[in-house]
Amino acid sequence: MTNKKENLRLLISLGIAGVMVGAILWLISKVSSTIVTTSNPTQTSSSFTNKSSLMNLGTRILVKVQTSPEKTDGVKAFAEKDFSTAVKKFTDSLKNNRNDPETLIYLNNAKIERDNSSAIKVAIVAPISFDPSLAEEILRGVAQAQNEVNTQGGINGKKLQIVIASADNREDSTRLDNELAQDKSLVAAVGVRRKAEIYKEKGLVLVLPVELPNQAENPEKLNNNTINSQPNSSTTNYLFHVNPLYDNLVDTHSRYIARQARNVAICGDVRSSRDNSTSSSNQILVEQYTQAIKKYGSNVISTPCNLADKNFDPRAFVDKAIETENASGFLLMPSIRNIYFATKVAQEVKGRKPLFASETMYSATTLQNGKDLEGMVLPVYWHRDANKDNPFAKNAFQLWNAQVNQRTAGAYDALQAIIAGLKEDSTREGLQRALSNPTFSTSGATGMIQFSSSGERQGEAMLVKIERCESCSSGTGYDFALLNKK
């Protein structure tokens, strides 16, 4: 009996001891975990940064409208570092859809990783979340330039790898600029209207592929928007404009409009949101055109026209403008997303008065409504017929199986300028010096590219007119025909 009691006490003691040991081990593991986490904050921060990175080589589909099973598989393989499979899947995706610049960029990036090639990395800041159409147009120019230089052997033997950078919201835009500037693996960026001071502070060259009315961050620019032809020794410029400033378009176009119409009705595209960059650009553009048209002797009527107003009535506006204020011409300035509403105005004007439009309507979407827009005149920086000896337009059509516009040409030239500069020096500082050199020049889709000391490019705008065509490549029965500059 005594032995049974002793055995029972022993079992109880062992059980209690086991529970205590287990509790101690659990506490030790928790403390140890806490110590590891707090003693290595860099690892945690790095993991968070990687997850939230706004830059992408090929692990995410950003252009949602260009999605296919093969592309999805390619992105998955790229993320798993199975680059041979990624190359195959991206190649298959392009066979089914040639007109997808994101996939072509990912394909070239995957080939570099698969072959373990030496590479130079450049970023493209694409406004995918804010303006998908513009983003794709810019990506096509960058993808074409990357594909050509890598097919030719790269830049001094190093292949060109493209990082696509895109913010999902406006709050992330500044974070994106900082992320780009602080990534020392990047030697340059192509992008639309960023915070210039960040690039200057971190010494990262940014080449702008398109011009916007309020795209005036360059500190070397004079207040009156003219080009500063004198070298500025006190500052170093890191922003370069591959197209002449937007003022050039406005001036050339306004001079033509004033010759065709005495009283001009302007339709803007202004939203009420204070932080909407498209709205602010459009409002500034309306003001620029108003001043320029008046400078050349014509008037701008006061009847309001806002294409972004949900209550806007195109018929009532056109009738009032003509009958009350004797409008003799109509100038349409839609955002790319509102070309449809500009077309509604054009339908009411059709055959009654001359039509004009800002360069945003230099788009394939516009030609789809050619029957309502025939005769409309727009200003452009580039047209495929301006220099028929230039192979860019032909090569672009063969690559994308579609015509491209000046935004694609500008993006192509932005990267061509960077490529030419990197051939002289592949460091950030060396690239800045190369592009700033008065003797620097390179050939692009828009002709010979040279920059002033303030990073701007001089040049003239051209005018195009929507005309009916027989068997034209647009497939719409209408095309943009190049007019004389005067």
Side-chain angles (χ1 to χ4, degrees):
M1 189 68 156
T2 303
N3 289 337
K4 287 183 178 180
K5 289 181 179 180
E6 290 176 352
N7 289 338
L8 182 60
R9 290 193 189 98
L10 179 61
L11 288 171
I12 293 171
S13 299
L14 290 173
I16 294 171
V19 171
M20 292 179 65
V21 170
I24 292 170
L25 290 174
W26 180 81
L27 286 170
I28 290 172
S29 68
K30 292 296 289 182
V31 172
S32 174
S33 175
T34 303
I35 291 172
V36 170
T37 301
T38 52
S39 65
N40 191 9
T42 304
Q43 182 177 350
T44 304
S45 174
S46 177
S47 299
F48 176 78
T49 301
N50 289 337
K51 288 180 181 179
S52 63
S53 176
L54 300 170
M55 299 190 291
N56 177 37
L57 278 171
T59 57
R60 286 180 292 145
I61 296 176
L62 301 176
V63 183
K64 306 299 185 193
V65 295
Q66 298 278 20
T67 303
S68 67
E70 296 82 5
K71 185 176 181 179
T72 301
D73 291 342
V75 164
K76 182 174 182 290
F78 199 112
E80 294 172 349
K81 301 187 184 304
D82 182 1
F83 299 115
S84 294
T85 299
V87 168
K88 181 181 183 306
K89 294 298 182 180
F90 289 142
T91 301
D92 291 342
S93 182
L94 284 170
K95 287 179 182 177
N96 297 326
N97 180 16
R98 286 166 54 187
N99 195 18
D100 180 3
E102 185 181 43
T103 296
L104 183 57
I105 289 172
Y106 288 171
L107 173 60
N108 275 292
N109 290 345
K111 286 179 178 178
I112 292 169
E113 298 293 343
R114 180 198 63 187
D115 301 337
N116 198 26
S117 302
S118 296
I120 297 176
K121 196 179 292 183
V122 172
I124 165 66
V125 185
I128 295 169
S129 297
F130 308 114
D131 200 333
S133 297
L134 174 61
E136 281 199 90
E137 290 167 351
I138 292 174
L139 286 172
R140 286 191 185 96
V142 169
Q144 182 174 344
Q146 180 199 25
N147 194 58
E148 288 177 358
V149 72
N150 284 352
T151 300
Q152 296 164 4
I155 301 169
N156 298 331
K158 293 183 178 181
K159 296 299 179 68
L160 179 61
Q161 198 164 44
I162 299 295
V163 178
I164 300 179
S166 179
D168 292 331
N169 53 65
R170 300 196 183 281
E171 289 71 24
D172 281 341
S173 292
T174 299
R175 183 163 72 89
L176 175 58
D177 289 323
N178 280 302
E179 190 175 342
L180 286 168
Q182 292 172 4
D183 186 342
K184 296 302 182 183
S185 70
L186 294 173
V187 294
V190 175
V192 181
R193 195 172 50 208
R194 314 303 306 169
K195 290 189 177 298
E197 64 274 11
I198 295 176
Y199 292 85
K200 179 181 177 182
E201 178 185 349
K202 300 297 181 181
L204 180 65
V205 163
L206 175 67
V207 183
L208 294 97
V210 299
E211 291 298 318
L212 299 175
N214 57 346
Q215 195 161 1
E217 300 92 341
N218 228 338
E220 277 69 46
K221 200 157 66 90
L222 294 177
N223 292 331
N224 61 358
N225 284 336
T226 59
I227 292 178
N228 182 1
S229 60
Q230 299 301 318
N232 192 326
S233 58
S234 61
T235 58
T236 302
N237 177 57
Y238 280 86
L239 257 67
F240 296 87
H241 298 251
V242 81
N243 285 315
L245 294 180
Y246 207 96
D247 294 10
N248 187 284
L249 280 178
V250 173
D251 189 76
T252 299
H253 198 204
S254 295
R255 183 171 64 246
Y256 178 87
I257 292 171
R259 291 173 179 173
Q260 309 298 318
R262 180 65 180 171
N263 298 307
V264 182
I266 295 180
C267 284
D269 187 347
V270 183
R271 288 171 172 75
S272 58
S273 176
R274 293 182 181 179
D275 62 351
N276 188 304
S277 64
T278 300
S279 300
S280 59
S281 294
N282 204 276
Q283 184 59 49
I284 289 175
L285 182 57
V286 170
E287 294 171 0
Q288 285 182 325
Y289 263 106
T290 298
Q291 294 175 11
I293 289 170
K294 289 180 178 179
K295 180 181 74 173
Y296 286 112
S298 287
N299 304 313
V300 174
I301 70 169
S302 59
T303 303
C305 178
N306 184 5
L307 298 171
D309 184 351
K310 63 181 181 180
N311 297 317
F312 174 64
D313 184 342
R315 177 171 295 178
F317 161 71
V318 172
D319 288 345
K320 182 179 179 181
I322 294 175
E323 296 168 6
T324 304
E325 296 200 67
N326 195 29
S328 52
F330 287 79
L331 172 58
L332 310 177
M333 300 183 194
S335 61
I336 292 177
R337 72 186 73 179
N338 274 349
I339 287 177
Y340 169 81
F341 296 105
T343 303
K344 290 297 182 183
V345 176
Q347 288 174 346
E348 299 300 328
V349 175
K350 186 178 180 180
R352 299 165 71 181
K353 303 294 177 183
L355 270 175
F356 314 97
S358 61
E359 57 85 28
T360 52
M361 293 193 74
Y362 188 37
S363 161
T365 304
T366 300
L367 294 178
Q368 292 170 7
N369 300 292
K371 68 179 185 299
D372 297 317
L373 303 171
E374 186 176 1
M376 187 170 70
V377 176
L378 304 77
V380 299
Y381 289 123
W382 173 85
H383 188 277
R384 62 182 180 276
D385 293 335
N387 183 358
K388 293 188 177 181
D389 293 332
N390 192 308
F392 167 76
K394 180 181 178 181
N395 293 340
F397 186 81
Q398 291 175 345
L399 182 62
W400 306 117
N401 195 32
Q403 297 287 0
V404 296
N405 61 24
Q406 67 180 8
R407 290 176 281 280
T408 296
Y412 177 87
D413 278 5
L415 196 53
Q416 287 291 358
I418 290 172
I419 290 169
L422 290 173
K423 286 180 179 179
E424 297 184 20
D425 193 319
S426 60
T427 66
R428 285 187 175 191
E429 298 78 9
L431 175 61
Q432 191 280 329
R433 287 194 298 269
L435 297 183
S436 299
N437 192 321
T439 64
F440 171 83
S441 67
T442 190
S443 179
T446 57
M448 192 60 63
I449 304 168
Q450 289 180 301
F451 300 108
S452 71
S453 59
S454 58
E456 292 160 3
R457 183 180 176 188
Q458 298 190 49
E460 293 187 21
M462 296 170 281
L463 298 175
V464 295
K465 184 177 184 179
I466 296 180
E467 294 183 351
R468 195 173 302 177
C469 57
E470 297 284 341
S471 304
C472 47
S473 56
S474 70
T476 64
Y478 294 87
D479 209 346
F480 295 104
L482 186 65
L483 295 183
N484 293 331
K485 295 179 183 179
K486 299 299 182 181

